Amino acid sequence: MMEESSLLSLPEGMRVEHIQITEHGLVIEVKASHPTSCCPLCAQTSDSIKTHYRRVLRDAPCVGRQIQLLLMVRKFYCRNPYCPQKVFTERLPTFVEPWARMTIRCCQQITSIGLATCGKGGARLAARLGMQTTRPTILRRIMGLPDVSGSSVVYLGIDDFAFRRGYRFGTILVNLESHRVVDLLPDRRAESAAAWMRHQPDLAVVSRDRGGEYASAAREGAPQAIQCADRFHIVKNLTEAVQVLLARCQAEILVEKKQDEPGQDEQNKPIISIEAWRPPEPAHVEKVRLARRAGRYARYQQVVELNRQGRATKEIAGRLGMSDRTVRDWLKQGTFPEAQKRRKKQSSFDPFAPSVLKRWQDGEHNGLVLWREIKSQGYTGTERSIYRYLTPEICGEYGDLAVCA
Ligand SMILES: [Zn+2]
């Protein structure tokens, strides 16, 4: 049955004795028939067979069928008088480990599945492919893989990663010469990273984020190494800084433009609505709000431009890092959607505002009088509190009178 043994890619000297199709797959009886075998200790060949015995092995599947090998192998006597190993089992080094219950090629397939998927997903996929395995087996295979580089790391990249976003973080260590992950740590504490670095005496450069933890880790664990900020974090910081700068510039340009516009003098200023009649926001709050608005406005213009170029909503959203829904809403509205100014919580003055404004317009500009009036109607605030509403900006040319009232 030579053809079958080459069809099944069995190693030289193995003969297929019998193939049986069962409910679950194929059971193949194979017999080792090489006349000699090498002693694993002294490497001397021997042809003295002591016994035959059977090993049951799982093999890589064949056209989706599970394969079970019934492998008949032998024990040999070592005839080397100086060798302490008197009896040894036949070795099939390229095919199966001495005590394994699975062929090497089957192990390799499971490892590959595990590396491409994960423990749980790998077990499901393997079952579909005709391989019987479990999640722990897959994980054990992956954990058992030799370390990619046993050699020391000279240029190290270090950063954190999330096991679960926002909850649990680990540390990833990358050899920047080979661009390979060399280790993962279960947390992102400085002590853990420093302990790892202490075992790397050749570390010359540590490329890290801008945070303090890995900086102190490198200081502690690899004081000889030069620390540098990695390109990713530099570009990220730069991007953020440029965004804020541009937003601020735009806000300033917008403010300037607004001031230049004619017909905005105090006389013609329309009487503002009750809704907007609140104490002015502090300068720093306004600055941030304007910067945000400018950023938003720039983004709105990008959305419109991309839409004009015929890009799909999804693509626009992806390119600008926005949600599909926002892009759709913005385009639907057709104009720049002003953010709703966050409304302060209802003030006790609010219910009295309409009557105060009316009295103001009628010519009553004495704050004390206005306060007494609304106090008699149930206003519980202090006299001072109503002055905050009677500022020059709101009350136009009579502003200072109001404040002095
Ligand atoms: Zn020997």
Side-chain angles (χ1 to χ4, degrees), residues 85-100:
Q85 186 90 45
K86 298 302 169 208
V87 175
F88 65 90
T89 56
E90 185 169 17
R91 297 296 203 261
L92 303 161
T94 57
F95 191 62
V96 62
E97 306 279 1
W99 313 109

Side-chain angles (χ1 to χ4, degrees), residues 115-387:
L115 287 175
T117 57
C118 60
K120 222 171 178 176
R124 275 203 301 270
L125 176 61
R128 290 297 297 265
L129 297 175
M131 252 180 276
Q132 202 187 0
T133 190
T134 60
R135 179 173 157 270
T137 306
I138 292 175
L139 295 181
R140 216 167 33 242
R141 300 287 326 159
I142 293 171
M143 300 303 269
L145 284 175
D147 289 340
V148 179
S149 79
S151 61
S152 65
V153 180
V154 181
Y155 298 93
L156 176 74
I158 185 168
D159 203 356
D160 58 359
F161 71 95
F163 287 105
R164 193 177 158 210
R165 219 170 169 183
Y167 286 90
R168 202 158 74 80
F169 297 89
T171 297
I172 184 168
L173 298 143
V174 179
N175 183 338
L176 294 178
E177 283 178 294
S178 63
H179 301 283
R180 282 180 176 278
V181 176
V182 285
D183 214 344
L184 298 173
L185 305 179
D187 56 51
R188 56 175 177 181
R189 289 180 307 130
E191 305 89 80
S192 316
W196 190 92
M197 288 179 199
R198 266 182 220 112
H199 291 105
Q200 295 291 335
D202 298 330
L203 270 185
V205 174
V206 175
S207 173
R208 56 167 176 82
D209 62 8
R210 311 280 307 272
E213 286 290 296
Y214 295 139
S216 85
R219 239 179 356 255
E220 292 289 316
Q224 78 284 1
I226 298 170
Q227 296 188 28
C228 64
D230 63 43
R231 191 159 44 187
F232 170 80
H233 286 100
I234 289 180
V235 171
K236 185 166 175 275
N237 287 159
L238 179 64
T239 309
E240 286 165 5
V242 169
Q243 272 174 351
V244 170
L245 179 73
L246 288 178
R248 205 174 64 207
C249 290
Q250 202 167 4
E252 280 164 11
I253 292 164
L254 285 176
V255 167
E256 228 156 74
K257 225 168 122 189
K258 213 170 160 189
Q259 283 167 355
D260 291 347
E261 273 169 25
Q264 287 289 311
D265 56 305
E266 294 294 295
Q267 302 292 331
N268 299 340
K269 210 174 183 179
I271 302 256
I272 52 146
S273 69
I274 298 295
E275 198 43 41
W277 193 24
R278 342 203 131 260
E281 60 191 349
H284 71 275
V285 174
E286 186 188 19
K287 205 169 156 191
V288 169
R289 186 175 59 76
L290 285 177
R292 280 213 194 105
R293 184 194 181 275
R296 217 167 107 88
Y297 185 66
R299 223 143 38 116
Y300 172 72
Q301 283 174 322
Q302 282 176 296
V303 168
V304 170
E305 176 56 24
L306 288 170
N307 181 53
R308 201 187 54 75
Q309 290 171 13
R311 312 277 177 182
T313 306
K314 218 178 171 68
E315 194 196 337
I316 298 174
R319 280 173 82 162
L320 301 179
M322 299 164 61
S323 77
D324 292 7
R325 204 179 143 179
T326 307
V327 173
R328 230 181 0 257
D329 288 351
W330 282 13
L331 289 173
K332 211 166 108 190
Q333 287 178 35
T335 52
F336 175 59
E338 288 288 356
Q340 287 293 314
K341 208 168 162 185
R342 215 166 291 162
R343 203 173 185 285
K344 289 204 191 87
K345 70 170 196 273
Q346 184 87 12
S347 148
S348 62
F349 179 73
D350 283 2
F352 304 97
S355 72
V356 172
L357 188 60
K358 180 157 188 310
R359 292 280 290 131
W360 183 275
Q361 284 160 359
D362 291 347
E364 180 51 71
H365 296 149
N366 186 314
L368 188 60
V369 171
L370 290 169
W371 173 67
R372 282 191 183 133
E373 280 178 14
I374 59 171
K375 192 166 177 260
S376 69
Q377 293 162 30
Y379 178 62
T380 52
T382 60
E383 181 196 340
R384 259 180 96 84
S385 71
I386 100 158
Y387 288 138

